[in-house]
Amino acid sequence: MRADLRTVVFAALFGTICAVILTVVGRWAAPHRAANEKGEEMRNYLTALGVPFDAKVSAGDLISVFDRNVRVGTNGNLVLYTYVPEGTTDPEAIAVSFAGMGLWGPVKGVLALEPDLKTIRGLRFYQQEETPGLGGEIGSDWFVGQFKGKRIVDDSDEPGFKLVKQGTTPDRNSVDAITGATMTSDRVQNMLQDLARKVAAERMNRHGRSE
Amino acid sequence: MAAVSKGAACGVCGAGKCKETLAAGIRGNNPVLVQAIGICSCLAVTNKVENAMVMGIALTATASLSGLFMSMIRNITPPRIRMIVEIALISVFVICFDQILKALYWDMSKQLGPYVGLIITNCILMGRLEAFALQNPPMLSLVDGFSNGLGYALVLVFVGCVRELVGAGTLLGMVVLPESLYQTNLLFVLAPGAFFTMGLLIWLVNAFGPRKPEKKP
């Protein structure tokens, strides 16, 4: 009976100590974490849009660079991030964010387009949990680097984008998929196709208004 | 391996057990090659040398610290709930480590990704607490955790080198075998490559490696 009591008391004490340590560390880290996560998102928007910034700046500074250069506007279900360089009035690039399910978890990214809303300026994935070394390569420079200058419309201006098998020559609206990561590649392709359709609708919308 | 009996060594390593303990984890009693624990993560994170190194360092730190603290509370821990206590202790360390990384070293935390959380599930941690820290003084347990972590890290990095070189023709991301000369081998990037490499390594070490005679206590 005494042993049982000792066990219970020890468990309660030990559990309380662990809980207190975790709470203290968690509460202390929460604001830092949130700032870092926000900064990370900003960094990806700025990189995709091609906004010049110092790679070593803190999360807080990134947010202020973002606020000075990027205007955020919602249009229907599409959030548009327009890069208007500080001191000028003409938009230099427009970014749209996208999200979808990858193989293991959510994939979030940002696609930056030239003002024509057809040509890709940059692409970044800022959240993904794909298999490291395989699907995880969507975050690598070689993969996202392929997108620059490609178009999210085909030759007859229909919206669409493809990830094709490595070895075939990618055309104006396709890039190499990742070998060994067919599932991730397929899902990313679907996200981009979906996004291309949404952007096409936004493009029609703009032309409609300007005419 | 030579089990150090309770109270035989002094607070630090009076009986000269430090060196012995340190060598055991790396050679005679290597966690992966001899004890055959921690294999799961060995298969998962060795497709790149970089991943293997980071995981090795993180595990060594956790194994050392959890060994130290478990040994400190070994005499007041009720035997019936000792395993739960072990896991709770390991989890607290790993979660704190993860939170601190995310708050202060964001770039490193990004690189480690999901691996930090996976440390908790590594059998080496609990295995060493059960087998060593519960019977030995704190500083010696710290040395034991460190040596087992190091032994694990060395195997991990070796397997990582083989897989990255054979699989992708690179080492630490640098191209060693250019693609024009070398056809990359996807099998080694994927999980089966790890099974082959690990299996061969364990066989080679146990068949031809220096065999340390088991010491009787």
Side-chain angles (χ1 to χ4, degrees), chain B residues 7-27:
Chain B
C10 82
V12 187
C13 64
K17 299 276 187 198
C18 268
K19 266 189 186 165
E20 203 178 296
T21 311
L22 191 63
I26 299 167
R27 292 182 60 218

Side-chain angles (χ1 to χ4, degrees), chain B residues 168-186:
Chain B
T170 61
L171 270 181
L172 280 170
M174 284 174 298
V175 178
V176 180
L177 302 165
E179 274 193 52
S180 52
L181 297 173
Y182 181 71
Q183 175 70 47
T184 56
N185 189 341
L186 195 63

Side-chain angles (χ1 to χ4, degrees), chain A residues 3-4 6-7 10-11 14 18 21-22 25-26 28-30 32-33 36-37 40 43 132-134 137 179-180, chain B residues 47-48 51 73 75-78 80-81 85 88-89 91-92 95-96 99-100 102-104 106 110 115 186 189-190:
Chain A
D4 284 349
R6 228 194 73 172
T7 304
F10 182 87
F14 186 78
C18 287
I21 294 174
L22 288 182
V25 173
W28 165 80
H32 295 276
R33 279 185 62 172
N36 283 333
E37 274 160 21
E40 182 63 27
R43 183 189 295 272
L134 292 170
E137 291 289 301
T179 311
Chain B
N47 56 0
K48 280 184 175 174
N51 294 347
I73 58 168
N75 290 329
I76 55 165
T77 305
R80 253 194 296 172
I81 57 163
V85 172
L89 193 69
S91 309
V92 168
I95 295 169
C96 287
Q99 294 284 326
I100 291 167
K102 281 194 170 130
L104 300 182
W106 177 255
K110 220 168 50 179
Y115 294 138
L186 195 63
V189 178
L190 296 163

Side-chain angles (χ1 to χ4, degrees), chain B residues 120-144:
Chain B
I120 300 178
T121 61
N122 195 307
C123 321
I124 295 175
L125 293 168
M126 210 168 151
R128 291 324 290 172
L129 295 187
E130 270 286 297
F132 199 93
L134 284 179
Q135 286 93 36
N136 290 288
M139 291 312 285
L140 201 57
S141 302
L142 181 111
V143 173
D144 177 71

Side-chain angles (χ1 to χ4, degrees), chain B residues 8-156:
Chain B
C10 82
V12 187
C13 64
K17 299 276 187 198
C18 268
K19 266 189 186 165
E20 203 178 296
T21 311
L22 191 63
I26 299 167
R27 292 182 60 218
N29 197 28
N30 186 291
V32 184
L33 301 178
V34 182
Q35 300 175 59
I37 50 177
I39 298 216
C40 179
S41 60
C42 236
L43 302 175
V45 301
T46 51
N47 56 0
K48 280 184 175 174
V49 182
E50 195 186 359
N51 294 347
M53 277 165 54
V54 165
M55 185 67 174
I57 293 168
L59 187 107
T60 307
T62 319
S64 311
L65 285 174
S66 61
L68 174 71
F69 280 86
M70 194 63 219
S71 176
M72 279 161 80
I73 58 168
R74 73 186 190 282
N75 290 329
I76 55 165
T77 305
R80 253 194 296 172
I81 57 163
R82 66 177 198 286
M83 289 185 136
I84 302 168
V85 172
E86 284 159 13
I87 276 292
L89 193 69
I90 293 166
S91 309
V92 168
F93 274 118
V94 172
I95 295 169
C96 287
F97 180 66
D98 188 35
Q99 294 284 326
I100 291 167
L101 274 186
K102 281 194 170 130
L104 300 182
Y105 304 97
W106 177 255
D107 287 332
M108 194 189 283
S109 147
K110 220 168 50 179
Q111 211 173 12
L112 291 178
Y115 294 138
V116 179
L118 283 178
I119 296 174
I120 300 178
T121 61
N122 195 307
C123 321
I124 295 175
L125 293 168
M126 210 168 151
R128 291 324 290 172
L129 295 187
E130 270 286 297
F132 199 93
L134 284 179
Q135 286 93 36
N136 290 288
M139 291 312 285
L140 201 57
S141 302
L142 181 111
V143 173
D144 177 71
F146 179 78
S147 107
N148 273 276
L150 205 62
Y152 168 80
L154 289 175
V155 174
L156 225 63

Side-chain angles (χ1 to χ4, degrees), chain A residues 178-190:
Chain A
I178 300 167
T179 311
T182 312
M183 304 271 260
T184 301
S185 297
D186 283 353
R187 284 160 202 231
V188 167
Q189 173 176 298
N190 289 344

